[in-house]
DNA sequence: GCACAAATGAAAATGATTTTCATTTCCATA
DNA sequence: TATGGAAATGAAAATCATTTTCATTTGTGC
């Protein structure tokens, strides 16, 4: 059932930072790899499910993907140039845990992102 | 040149939290207000430019808008039944501010959500 | 080879957002 | 009040990422 595609992973590796599904597709085409856009979308979804890939949104709403080091972390993203910094979320982890307990929630996860303009922009 | 539309502002006020352009449009229609979808989009854009309105993205990428200054809060969402609880984010606010300062980011916003299974599920 | 499940991808469908463009509303001035 | 132009409006078409459909191909065990 795992549709995680090693060829897509390889492209993300070479791409370095974030890339959209469309970009991954174009890259593979340019390099002469034969793949369908649908498969790119499915592979990326699968990689996200398997937590091998992070997904965020560009300001225009397009989804962008990136290989994610296993460690849990959060992001500080520049709205101008897209630069992304991985940051510690110690305070968040505690907050999420506290809130979940207070309301009796189990099996809890969370998301947290900060976005603004970096010094260069 | 200001296309900020007081009728759209009024809808956002009544809506309380976040609403997408499509939702604002549907709401106005339901209330018998005559307005075009294009104008809704233009008004919301204008309100964002004038910093009267905040814009975020839903998980599916749809843009959602909210009056600035409406009380800022976060959500605790049940993955099972969808129940949503509005929660305080004091710790987050501080965390976001600290991190942004540390890396010299300006004009900063953030998102934070907790999701899990509520006591009933 | 055979059967059958999973993977693939082309093409169509979807849905939010933007663009076009003709029409209408405002507003200042004669 | 009439008039001319600028700004606002909205219906319809265009755009574009993403999802769905569905027929075909591939892989795997027998
Ligand atoms: Zn930047
Ligand atoms: Zn965290
Ligand atoms: Zn529940
Ligand atoms: Zn907050």
């Amino acid at each position: 059932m795992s549709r995680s595609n090693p060829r897509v992973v390889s492209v993300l590796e070479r791409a370095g930072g974030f890339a959209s599904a469309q970009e991954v597709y174009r890259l593979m085409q340019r390099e002469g790899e034969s793949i369908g856009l649908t498969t790119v979308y499915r592979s990326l979804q699968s990689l996200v499910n398997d937590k091998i890939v992070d997904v965020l949104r560009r300001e225009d709403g397009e989804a962008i993907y990136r290989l994610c080091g296993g460690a849990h972390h959060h992001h500080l993203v520049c709205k101008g140039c897209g630069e992304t910094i991985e940051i510690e979320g110690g305070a968040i982890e505690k907050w999420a845990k506290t809130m979940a307990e207070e309301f009796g929630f189990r099996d809890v996860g969370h998301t947290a992102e900060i976005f603004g303009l970096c010094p260069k922009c």
Side-chain angles (χ1 to χ4, degrees), chain A residues 10-87:
Chain A
S10 158
V11 171
L12 284 178
E13 267 166 10
R14 274 173 283 137
F18 282 101
S20 72
Q22 303 280 348
E23 284 164 355
V24 168
Y25 176 66
R26 272 179 246 131
L27 275 171
M28 294 182 78
Q29 296 245 301
R30 213 170 297 152
E31 293 172 7
E33 293 211 54
S34 167
I35 195 169
L37 183 55
T38 314
T39 302
V40 171
Y41 273 103
R42 279 195 287 238
S43 303
L44 288 170
Q45 250 171 234
S46 183
L47 289 163
V48 169
N49 285 342
D50 298 349
K51 298 194 199 292
I52 296 168
V53 154
D54 266 350
V55 56
L56 283 184
R57 295 263 167 199
R58 292 224 176 97
E59 195 148 5
D60 68 354
E62 189 175 1
I64 50 180
Y65 305 84
R66 177 180 67 169
L67 285 178
C68 163
H72 173 80
H73 60 259
H74 297 271
H75 294 120
L76 177 54
V77 185
C78 176
K79 289 189 284 194
C81 63
E83 188 193 345
T84 302
I85 300 170
E86 293 193 355
I87 53 182

Side-chain angles (χ1 to χ4, degrees), chain A residues 78 80-83 117-118 120-121:
Chain A
C78 176
C81 63
E83 188 193 345
L117 287 172
C118 79
K120 276 180 279 178
C121 295

Side-chain angles (χ1 to χ4, degrees), chain A residues 51 72 74 92-111:
Chain A
K51 298 194 199 292
H72 173 80
H74 297 271
I92 303 274
E93 316 308 321
K94 205 171 298 175
W95 171 75
K97 201 168 162 225
T98 305
M99 286 297 169
E101 274 168 11
E102 181 173 332
F103 291 95
F105 273 55
R106 292 160 292 139
D107 205 356
V108 176
H110 63 264
T111 62

